[in-house]
């Protein structure tokens, strides 16, 4: 099952769209977001490849979708994109410094959705990923001592990605401070128990490698989550 819905409106009234993939009303859920910062398009490209792999035709993806609900917000800052802003929304706020605070409607819309789905399904969000762009490819997870609903998932996932890409050594900068929870990763962990990561793609990373990282990342994540979720419930 795949559908597109509107979960809210931006500060200037533009729709915030969500793509829902997989088993409807599953108790096992994950979240994908992108473009909190308007010009960060390489992160968007990686997100697109990642999501297309999960939604695509393979035995692995079919099995994953039969068990999981995957929620995707590909454009969280539509006002900032339309106005050509650098990091802010139309309210002049960096949305990735507004989680928990919720001075702006965009992040609040996602937060309300997460709470609503947890209440409606009685389930959990196990994983949250926020795609960005910067000068180089960098992963920003939490350290292993900060555990959520599937302990160690993100660090194990990064190890699997490295093993699946021979010659590639990822830059990993793990964070050991879960508060303040004003960035997406910290909010996802603190408020919903998600194993969470900010996934940054370099501005000059080749488009072919971006697509490959998205595909490999999706495959390795699906395999890990399918193998581990039952022991975490």
């Amino acid at each position: 099952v795949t559908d597109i819905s509107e979960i809210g409106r931006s500060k200037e009234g533009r729709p915030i769209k969500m793509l829902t993939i997989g088993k409807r009303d599953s108790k096992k859920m994950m979240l994908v977001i992108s473009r909190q910062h308007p010009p960060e398009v390489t992160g968007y490209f990686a997100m697109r490849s990642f999501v297309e792999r999960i939604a695509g035709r393979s035995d692995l993806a079919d099995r994953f979708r039969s068990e999981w609900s995957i929620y995707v917000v590909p454009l969280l800052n539509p006002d900032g994109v339309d106005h050509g802003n650098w990091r802010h929304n139309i309210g002049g706020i960096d949305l990735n410094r507004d989680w928990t605070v919720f001075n702006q409607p965009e992040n609040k819309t996602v937060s309300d959705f997460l709470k609503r789905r947890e209440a409606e399904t009685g389930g959990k969000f196990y994983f949250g990923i926020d795609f960005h762009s910067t000068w180089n490819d960098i992963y920003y997870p939490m350290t292993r001592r900060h555990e959520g609903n599937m302990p160690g998932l993100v660090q194990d996932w990064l190890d699997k990605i490295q093993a699946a890409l021979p010659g590639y050594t990822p830059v990993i900068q793990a964070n050991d401070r879960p508060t303040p929870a004003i960035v997406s990763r910290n909010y996802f962990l603190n408020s919903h128990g998600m194993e969470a990561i900010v996934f940054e793609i370099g501005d000059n990373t080749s488009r072919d490698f971006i697509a490959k990282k998205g595909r490999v990342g999706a495959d390795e994540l699906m395999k890990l989550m399918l193998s581990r979720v039952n022991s975490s419930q």
Side-chain angles (χ1 to χ4, degrees):
V1 176
T2 303
D3 60 54
I4 299 173
S5 60
E6 179 182 315
I7 61 167
R9 293 269 169 165
S10 67
K11 190 174 181 68
E12 209 167 44
R14 292 177 176 83
I16 297 174
K17 298 291 185 69
M18 173 168 283
L19 175 66
T20 301
I21 303 167
K23 181 181 179 182
R24 192 178 301 278
D25 295 331
S26 174
K27 294 180 182 293
K28 298 181 292 190
M29 300 177 285
M30 62 175 277
L31 177 70
V32 180
I33 66 172
S34 178
R35 293 194 84 177
Q36 290 195 80
H37 297 149
E40 296 185 5
V41 294
T42 55
Y44 174 85
F45 294 154
M47 180 277 303
R48 186 175 64 186
S49 177
F50 178 85
V51 171
E52 286 175 347
R53 192 68 164 188
I54 292 173
R57 294 181 176 179
S58 72
D59 291 343
L60 175 61
D62 287 346
R63 184 184 167 202
F64 189 71
R65 292 194 303 268
S66 75
E67 298 186 24
W68 285 80
S69 290
I70 305 98
Y71 300 105
V72 184
V73 182
L75 177 55
L76 188 53
N77 187 357
D79 296 347
V81 168
D82 276 15
H83 286 276
N85 294 352
W86 183 245
R87 289 179 70 86
H88 299 160
N89 73 337
I90 196 65
I93 299 296
D94 181 340
L95 294 182
N96 207 30
R97 300 298 183 272
D98 192 50
W99 294 93
T100 304
V101 182
F102 298 128
N103 285 317
Q104 303 300 303
E106 292 86 353
N107 294 358
K108 182 65 161 53
T109 291
V110 175
S111 173
D112 289 345
F113 172 82
L114 297 174
K115 293 173 183 175
R116 185 167 66 251
R117 290 309 290 155
E118 287 174 337
E120 290 168 348
T121 65
K124 297 178 183 179
F125 280 89
Y126 286 88
F127 178 74
I129 184 167
D130 181 7
F131 285 90
H132 285 260
S133 306
T134 187
W135 61 90
N136 201 352
D137 292 13
I138 305 174
Y139 301 105
Y140 292 109
M142 300 300 298
T143 59
R144 282 188 181 270
R145 75 188 191 96
H146 297 290
E147 295 183 347
N149 292 332
M150 196 180 291
L153 172 69
V154 170
Q155 296 286 352
D156 291 346
W157 179 52
L158 295 179
D159 290 343
K160 293 289 187 181
I161 291 174
Q162 183 173 358
L165 294 170
Y168 172 65
T169 302
V171 177
I172 301 171
Q173 296 184 12
N175 187 285
D176 200 41
R177 297 180 60 191
T179 57
I182 57 173
V183 299
S184 59
R185 176 201 56 215
N186 294 31
Y187 176 77
F188 294 161
L189 174 65
N190 283 358
S191 297
H192 297 277
M194 290 186 236
E195 308 298 327
I197 187 169
V198 174
F199 194 107
E200 300 255 13
I201 297 293
D203 295 327
N204 295 319
T205 300
S206 79
R207 299 305 187 254
D208 287 345
F209 192 53
I210 290 173
K212 185 175 184 179
K213 284 182 70 175
R215 294 192 301 268
V216 167
D219 283 347
E220 296 304 327
L221 182 70
M222 288 188 287
K223 286 186 283 189
L224 276 173
M225 293 175 79
L226 283 168
S227 68
R228 296 183 57 181
V229 71
N230 291 332
S231 63
S232 304
Q233 289 180 313

